[in-house]
Amino acid sequence: MADFTFAHREEGFDEHIDKSIRGYQDLLSDVVSLSRYFVESHTNVYDIGCSTGKLTEALIRKNSDIEDINYYGIEVADGFVSDMEIRGKGLNLEFPKSKTSFMHEDIRSSSISNASLVTSIFTLQFMPIKDRSTIIKKIYDGLNEGGAFIFAEKTICENAKFQEMITFNFYDYKRKYFTTEDIMDKEQVLRNIMKPNTWKQIEQYMYDAGFKDVQPFWRNHMFVGAVAVK
């Protein structure tokens, strides 16, 4: 199975992402808040690319009054296995009226069904481009009518000048927390594993899968959070 280098950061993965993406906590807060419009009893909730399970847990806590839900956290990277095991045991003890399962597997071979909500936060950008439309179609088909796909992705600009401006503005922000060498070393590693789309391309993926409307609700630098409803 694949591993994810930044799972092993000294400061911890969640702390690293929080410092890397301006407004990351606001994004997670919005995702959790929006979940209240969609999570229903007797359905499944999937968190694709759940990493440490932090968002999965927040969704469970926010919707703890809604019983008989199966929560599935799906993560392919080896570095998060122990985090998922520990979090899963604790959540099943604390919230016995719903079931939480963290699965160390590739979403390309996972099944999605009877879903009231699917979340994916900065995950599709790490998947092979050739598989993205198939995965989004799988999500759409697995959602119940009225269910939602809430996601966030890093994007690239269609205009080269805008790309330069936003990229260096982003680097200026990251230099508050990381050295220039650290920023550039990470960029070099990401060249081979992260391939962002433009926002128009992401929208087209959604429309091709069957979603009629896609609404962005959060933006910061080149990062976008959006919701699509079936």
Side-chain angles (χ1 to χ4, degrees):
M1 300 292 283
D3 201 356
F4 187 43
T5 304
F6 308 109
H8 308 288
R9 293 284 303 203
E10 182 179 352
E11 69 270 31
F13 179 79
D14 290 322
E15 180 71 14
H16 176 71
I17 297 300
D18 193 26
K19 290 180 177 178
S20 297
I21 301 175
R22 188 176 65 189
Y24 180 67
Q25 290 302 321
D26 293 329
L27 167 64
L28 293 188
S29 178
D30 286 347
V31 173
V32 172
S33 180
L34 287 169
S35 73
R36 288 295 293 180
Y37 290 93
F38 304 105
V39 174
E40 296 180 348
S41 184
H42 310 296
T43 66
N44 300 323
V45 172
Y46 297 85
D47 182 14
I48 300 171
C50 65
S51 61
T52 66
K54 179 179 179 179
L55 174 59
T56 316
E57 178 174 347
L59 293 170
I60 294 169
R61 293 190 180 282
K62 185 68 172 181
N63 298 284
S64 60
D65 58 315
I66 307 174
E67 299 178 358
D68 192 23
I69 303 171
N70 293 310
Y71 290 93
Y72 295 100
I74 301 173
E75 177 57 59
V76 70
D78 298 337
F80 298 116
V81 172
S82 60
D83 295 294
M84 293 191 295
E85 289 177 350
I86 293 169
R87 200 178 294 267
K89 289 178 182 178
L91 289 171
N92 279 314
L93 286 173
E94 188 174 354
F95 301 101
K97 293 184 179 180
S98 292
K99 182 180 178 182
T100 304
S101 301
F102 286 103
M103 298 178 292
H104 180 213
E105 63 184 36
D106 192 322
I107 185 58
R108 290 175 292 182
S109 57
S110 301
S111 60
I112 296 176
S113 62
N114 187 31
S116 55
L117 175 65
V118 178
T119 61
S120 172
I121 306 302
F122 306 126
T123 301
L124 290 171
Q125 63 202 38
F126 292 107
M127 298 178 186
I129 292 175
K130 65 181 179 63
D131 296 326
R132 293 178 192 180
S133 60
T134 302
I135 292 166
I136 295 169
K137 185 65 167 66
K138 175 189 287 191
I139 292 168
Y140 178 83
D141 290 342
L143 281 167
N144 296 333
E145 197 73 24
F149 178 37
I150 301 178
F151 63 93
E153 288 291 299
K154 183 177 183 179
T155 64
I156 54 175
C157 300
E158 296 183 39
N159 179 289
K161 185 62 177 178
F162 288 153
Q163 183 68 45
E164 179 186 14
M165 289 164 48
I166 293 175
T167 297
F168 282 95
N169 188 258
F170 174 55
Y171 289 161
D172 287 344
Y173 166 75
K174 290 189 70 172
R175 287 177 65 190
K176 296 177 182 178
Y177 305 102
F178 305 103
T179 65
T180 300
E181 182 180 12
D182 198 10
I183 294 169
M184 291 299 102
D185 285 348
K186 182 176 179 180
E187 288 293 320
Q188 186 172 30
V189 171
L190 289 176
R191 289 177 193 170
N192 187 48
I193 62 176
M194 183 173 68
K195 299 177 175 64
N197 293 111
T198 66
W199 173 247
K200 285 185 179 180
Q201 288 173 324
I202 293 172
E203 277 189 310
Q204 194 60 53
Y205 282 139
M206 300 301 157
Y207 297 145
D208 290 345
F211 292 105
K212 303 301 184 209
D213 293 297
V214 185
Q215 176 61 52
F217 61 84
W218 177 92
R219 288 179 185 266
N220 222 312
H221 293 127
M222 64 281 285
F223 303 98
V224 182
V227 55
V229 180
K230 182 173 179 178

